[in-house]
Amino acid sequence: MKKLVLIFTLVASSSAWAQGDINAGKLKAATCVACHGSDGNATITQYPKLAGQHADYIVKQLADYKLAFTTEGTQGRNNAIMAGMAAGLSATDMADLGAYFSSLPISPNTTPENVIAIAEPLYRFGDPERGIAACISCHGPRGNGTSLAGFPKISGQNAEYMALQLQEFRAGSRHNDLNRMMQSVAAKLTDNEITALSAYVGGLH
């Protein structure tokens, strides 16, 4: 029963975002270029690639950044740069930006051979003894996530950005994940595991 309630909640929250306009989003994305690249593929690796990301996920993150700004960080997702960027965005602006970036192709990435031994078992099977859920259960075998459930695409993502997010989830400084799922997983990961997983997902396709 709890699983059914969770599914219905996810569907309802996902469908709440309005459909955006790609062309309008392209115009509004001019201020995003410095960090996220002209094509949504950030070359500064501490920032995420937005190209190909699920539109609903982008909208939720923007809304969470704005929420953090309006609640002085007590809610939402805290980031000094993005809080300022999102503060003036309307729901329509967010939907347009989500539509635009989701329409762009993500640039290719690879998985370094030296991380596979550590990362692949964790990604595919988790670690039941430590209570670590498998990444594949939410993000899928190819790292594409699912828009309907609100799980982001992580395949092809910048490894440095991924590591920073896992570290923030582990520290509790990022806490906008559904039911603390990512915080629960990241809290049990070692530094080496975070580094390996962050690099591993880049080459999933």
Side-chain angles (χ1 to χ4, degrees):
M1 179 60 72
K2 289 183 179 179
K3 288 184 178 181
L4 286 174
V5 171
L6 175 58
I7 290 171
F8 288 135
T9 301
L10 289 170
V11 172
S13 62
S14 178
S15 62
W17 307 120
Q19 295 297 311
D21 182 284
I22 292 175
N23 291 326
K26 183 176 182 179
L27 295 174
K28 295 172 182 178
T31 57
C32 310
V33 170
C35 294
H36 299 289
S38 59
D39 59 355
N41 289 290
T43 55
I44 304 174
T45 57
Q46 72 184 67
Y47 300 127
K49 296 181 183 181
L50 301 180
Q53 186 57 268
H54 304 304
D56 288 346
Y57 184 78
I58 292 174
V59 172
K60 181 186 184 299
Q61 300 312 303
L62 289 172
D64 284 352
Y65 284 129
K66 184 171 183 176
L67 179 61
F69 179 82
T70 58
T71 62
E72 298 183 348
T74 60
Q75 299 178 56
R77 180 176 176 183
N78 291 299
N79 182 280
I81 296 174
M82 284 306 303
M85 298 296 290
L89 296 178
S90 67
T92 298
D93 294 333
M94 294 179 189
D96 291 344
L97 288 167
Y100 171 63
F101 283 116
S102 69
S103 73
L104 301 174
I106 190 170
S107 59
N109 206 338
T110 58
T111 295
E113 290 288 334
N114 65 329
V115 305
I116 294 176
I118 294 175
E120 188 169 70
L122 281 172
Y123 189 90
R124 295 180 63 187
F125 309 112
D127 187 338
E129 290 187 2
R130 289 190 289 159
I132 299 176
C135 309
I136 199 173
S137 60
C138 292
H139 297 287
R142 298 182 178 182
N144 289 328
T146 171
S147 178
L148 185 63
F151 300 130
K153 174 183 174 70
I154 56 176
S155 173
Q157 192 54 262
N158 288 326
E160 183 180 359
Y161 171 75
M162 289 294 298
L164 287 171
Q165 298 315 298
L166 287 172
Q167 289 164 4
E168 288 184 11
F169 278 126
R170 184 174 66 179
S173 55
R174 180 175 174 183
H175 45 75
N176 70 327
D177 50 327
L178 181 66
N179 293 334
R180 298 174 57 88
M181 286 189 288
M182 283 305 304
Q183 293 177 77
S184 175
V185 169
K188 299 158 188 170
L189 295 174
T190 66
D191 288 342
N192 285 340
E193 289 168 340
I194 284 178
T195 298
L197 281 168
S198 298
Y200 175 77
V201 300
L204 292 175
H205 53 73

